[in-house]
Amino acid sequence: MKEENGAVQWAPPRWVEPFKPTRFQQGTQVMFEGVISGSPAPEVEWLWKNKPLQSYTGKAGKGKIVSYDKNNGRVTLMLSDVGPGDEGVYSCTAKNPYGESTCTLNLNPEKPMNRRKPVLPKGSCRTNLKACHIDSDDYADYAKLKGL
């Protein structure tokens, strides 16, 4: 509850600082932070793939830690040892008697950069690249010429 001029102010939940996009590597720990406001202080619930995060057990539930400080509104999600299986939509819904507000994170692995390999025409040699492409029948002809 906020007091302004002696009157109590009620407010629905509002994301003052939504979760920010971030980049990270597989196998690392990553933390997402946001700040929610509302009066009275809202309750928060995390969902992952449309199911309550705390309902996951075993490997799927391991390494996913959430926290919420009602005094300053800071909401965090920490994922340890991020890897395959952790992808998907994580959503945090804040509710109080005056409304609700949801902030989502979509965890997707980045596609590796496509590095094109040079394609050399059949039978071509480029000494400055130190690369040569010889098919098996070309090699047979070459070997015949050289008496190999």
Side-chain angles (χ1 to χ4, degrees), residues 24-78:
F24 50 89
Q25 293 182 344
Q26 181 174 325
T28 62
Q29 178 177 314
V30 63
M31 185 167 70
F32 299 96
E33 288 185 302
V35 177
I36 189 79
S37 69
S39 184
E43 297 296 320
V44 298
E45 178 185 32
W46 281 93
L47 299 178
W48 178 39
K49 300 179 183 178
N50 295 318
K51 287 176 54 181
L53 189 58
Q54 69 271 14
S55 71
Y56 286 90
T57 58
K59 187 177 178 185
K62 187 177 179 184
K64 295 173 178 62
I65 303 165
V66 297
S67 67
Y68 171 50
D69 184 340
K70 286 185 177 186
N71 295 322
N72 62 18
R74 183 151 318 275
V75 180
T76 60
L77 168 64
M78 185 168 317

Side-chain angles (χ1 to χ4, degrees), residues 134 136-148:
I134 301 175
S136 60
D137 51 320
D138 287 343
Y139 183 76
D141 293 342
Y142 175 77
K144 227 188 261 180
L145 280 171
K146 296 292 181 179
L148 299 175

Side-chain angles (χ1 to χ4, degrees), residues 5 9 24 27 40 42 47 60 70-71 81 84 90 92 102 105 109 117 120 124 130 135:
N5 297 332
Q9 297 291 312
F24 50 89
L47 299 178
K70 286 185 177 186
N71 295 322
D81 192 23
Y90 294 80
C92 181
T102 300
L105 300 160
K117 293 182 181 176
L120 301 174
S124 70
K130 297 185 179 175
D135 284 344

Side-chain angles (χ1 to χ4, degrees), residues 71-101:
N71 295 322
N72 62 18
R74 183 151 318 275
V75 180
T76 60
L77 168 64
M78 185 168 317
L79 303 173
S80 299
D81 192 23
V82 177
D86 291 322
E87 63 276 342
V89 175
Y90 294 80
S91 62
C92 181
T93 301
K95 297 178 184 178
N96 73 10
Y98 300 97
E100 68 180 58
S101 184

